[in-house]
Each structure stands twice: as structure tokens, then as C-alpha cells.
Amino acid sequence: MSRSLYDELGVPRNASEEEITRAFRKLAKAYHPDLHPGDKKAEEKFKRISAAYEILSDKTKRARYDRGEIDEEGRERVFAGGGFRPGAGAGETRFEFGGPGGINFEEILGDLFGARRRSGRAGGPFAGGGPFGGGSFAGGFGGGFGGGVGEDLKVTTEVDFTTAARGGTRRVILPDGSAVDVTIPAGTADGTVLRLKGKGRPGPAGPGDALVEVKVAPHPRFERKGLDVVVDQPVPLAIAVRGGKVRVPTLDGEVALTVPPRTSSGTMLRLKGKGIKDARTGQQGDQLVRVLIELPKERELLELLERWAEHRPA
């Protein structure tokens, strides 16, 4: 008998969502594949706790699991009089005929595998002569299982501001414990969902997809506004008054920025083409530099400014 999902995480059946999350995080840190390279037991343990957490952290799936409607791998358990019931072996489904009232295989298989909606055939996957379509057992089940695409997996990953802006790759651990290198397109915005075809749970008609939501970490200097990048830049009072150059950070490194004479604090200066490039459209943003004037540190100048300020009207 397989261990329950609660046993895998080491929590009681009445555990709260917070307790389940805490237990998973503790175990994930202990058995993460990156911490145990080449350790197959740790890898298998990580896969089991990830699968357990995926079901128990979802209210709907947890309720169905507690009612016995799905098993530890999220597979359907259908109990119909003489119909489907779990087979004797792991992962096996046994078909029994002649139950009370008969069995509507079209309805059961359609509900179980979503075949009616996904087959794309007029009249459903079992249309044709006989209860299985086409008048044959093999033909009927071939059509039914053909629509059963596996479940999508969802995961969130965090990338730094520069990688999201300029593009790059990120290694992501999927809920089943497998690792995949995800391409982060240039111009990726916070909350973007990237679809990895065929990286979801397996199904009779092929695997589902993996949906990777990208969270972009904030940058200490840069702020994104559409495809533009905004940065605050301190400018000495002397340069703001007479004009000059200051060094400004950009996504591609520091550049020299010309500050016109008599520039006021709060003025926005533009660096063309130094913003974010959208990989899909090819559009290129700019960098907007907000001038923040720094007061001089010389005591004589500060006293002069103070005296000037005293005689200025409020």
C-alpha cells in the first residue's frame, strides 16, 4: 500500500494550509536535487513531496483526494457498479463488465479523459455503430483515449531586472522534480506566463504543458515604465548651473550624459535606445534620467545659499 500524501509531507490529515506549506518547504530544502547532485534517492524523495504538495496545496484537489476520487498521483478513481475500479497493480485500471444497470462507457470515458470535448469529431469520440463507436472495442477506446491530454503544471520563478530586460535563461524546477532551462525573452514583464509545450503531466494523448510565471525582482536603481527605464541621477550643483557631463548607469553599463546649463532638479534627460527591447515587436525603449541636484559640501557656498534663501519670498 502506497504512503498517503500526508505521510509524504509528515503532516496530519487535518493539517492547515500553512502547516502543509511549512512542511513542504522544510523537506524541499533538505532534498532539493541541487543540494544532492547524483543522489537518486534524494531526487525521488523530492519528486514525491513535490507531487504531494501540488495536490494538498490545492483546495479542490485536496478535497477530491480526501474523498478518494483521485489517488496519490492525481489520477481518477471511478467507482461504478461493475464499472471502473482501481486495478490490482499500481497504475493499472481494471475493466469489468456486466455490472448492475449496465455501464455507459461513452459517458465514463468522456468525463474521465475529457475525450468528448477534445476529440474534434462530430458526434463525440464514440460516434458510430455500437456502444463504443465504429462497432469495435479497439476503435472505441482508441478514439476515447486519444483526447486525454495530460494536466498542465504551474510554477513561478524569479529573475533579476536585467535578465528580464535583456533576455537570458533560467533553470526552473517543475513540481514533478524535473529541471528545465527556460528561455526568458528580452522585454519580459513582471507576471508574464511562459508556456513550455509538453512539459506537463503525461496523459493518454500526450503530456500537458508547463506554465512558468515570471516574477521580476526590483532593481536598486532602475524602474520600468513600459519599454522605458527610469533612473534617478544625483548631479552636483556646479554642473547643473554651468552644464557638464556625469556618468550614468544603464542596462549595458555606464555612459556619459550631457547635462545642459541651468538644469533644474527633477528635469528628465533622455538616452535614446538605452531602454528595454521587446523581443516580439522589436521596439526599443529609452532611458529617462531624472536629475537630482546635490548641494555643495563647501561651507562657504552653503552659507551663501542660506543667506540667499533667507531673502527669497516664500
Side-chain angles (χ1 to χ4, degrees):
M1 182 177 179
S2 61
R3 286 162 56 87
S4 76
L5 300 183
Y6 295 97
D7 292 337
E8 288 292 355
L9 295 181
V11 297
R13 284 190 170 268
N14 62 351
S16 66
E17 293 180 22
E18 292 76 13
E19 289 173 325
I20 288 173
T21 299
R22 276 200 306 270
F24 170 71
R25 287 178 176 173
K26 181 179 179 180
L27 291 170
K29 289 180 180 179
Y31 293 99
H32 198 285
D34 289 349
L35 301 178
H36 303 277
D39 189 335
K40 294 297 182 182
K41 290 184 177 180
E43 182 178 339
E44 287 301 318
K45 177 67 174 179
F46 185 78
K47 288 181 179 180
R48 293 199 304 271
I49 63 176
S50 297
Y53 180 68
E54 185 195 359
I55 292 177
L56 296 185
S57 63
D58 184 302
K59 291 182 179 179
T60 302
K61 291 181 181 179
R62 181 180 180 182
R64 296 193 67 206
Y65 175 71
D66 290 342
R67 291 194 299 267
E69 296 175 6
I70 58 176
D71 64 13
E72 283 73 16
E73 296 182 16
R75 297 174 302 190
E76 297 282 346
R77 286 179 174 139
V78 180
F79 301 95
F84 292 126
R85 70 179 182 83
E92 176 187 348
T93 301
R94 180 178 296 167
F95 299 91
E96 297 181 355
F97 300 90
I103 304 169
N104 186 335
F105 276 92
E106 179 176 349
E107 180 178 345
I108 292 175
L109 290 177
D111 290 341
L112 186 57
F113 298 107
R116 286 196 212 157
R117 288 184 174 272
R118 299 177 185 173
S119 68
R121 298 186 189 176
F126 306 102
F132 302 109
S136 72
F137 182 89
F141 277 86
F145 281 99
V149 178
E151 183 183 358
D152 291 343
L153 296 177
K154 298 179 181 179
V155 67
T156 300
T157 189
E158 185 176 81
V159 301
D160 61 88
F161 188 96
T162 304
T163 298
R166 288 295 186 247
T169 59
R170 176 76 175 179
R171 173 153 292 191
V172 174
I173 305 298
L174 299 178
D176 63 0
S178 61
V180 59
D181 289 330
V182 179
T183 298
I184 308 297
T188 296
D190 183 63
T192 297
V193 176
L194 304 176
R195 181 179 292 273
L196 307 180
K197 298 291 290 184
K199 295 297 184 180
R201 289 193 181 282
D209 302 333
L211 306 178
V212 182
E213 181 180 6
V214 179
K215 293 293 185 182
V216 180
H219 193 278
R221 294 288 308 270
F222 301 138
E223 178 185 1
R224 179 170 180 167
K225 295 290 185 183
L227 293 180
D228 292 337
V229 174
V230 181
V231 61
D232 290 337
Q233 178 62 45
V235 175
L237 177 61
I239 292 180
V241 171
R242 70 171 185 267
K245 293 184 180 293
V246 293
R247 301 292 295 178
V248 178
T250 73
L251 292 171
D252 301 314
E254 283 193 349
V255 298
L257 171 69
T258 299
V259 179
R262 300 183 181 181
T263 296
S264 300
S265 193
T267 298
M268 285 288 195
L269 303 177
R270 185 180 298 269
L271 290 170
K272 293 289 292 183
K274 291 298 184 180
I276 295 169
K277 185 175 183 178
D278 191 318
R280 298 169 301 165
T281 65
Q283 287 183 293
Q284 179 80 51
D286 302 328
Q287 179 162 313
L288 305 178
V289 181
R290 183 187 292 115
V291 174
L292 301 178
I293 295 178
E294 291 182 316
L295 291 177
K297 297 180 180 180
E298 291 83 352
R299 182 175 176 181
E300 294 80 3
L301 284 176
L302 285 175
E303 291 176 349
L304 177 62
L305 289 172
E306 289 170 356
R307 289 197 298 271
W308 171 82
E310 288 175 356
H311 295 88
R312 292 284 296 176

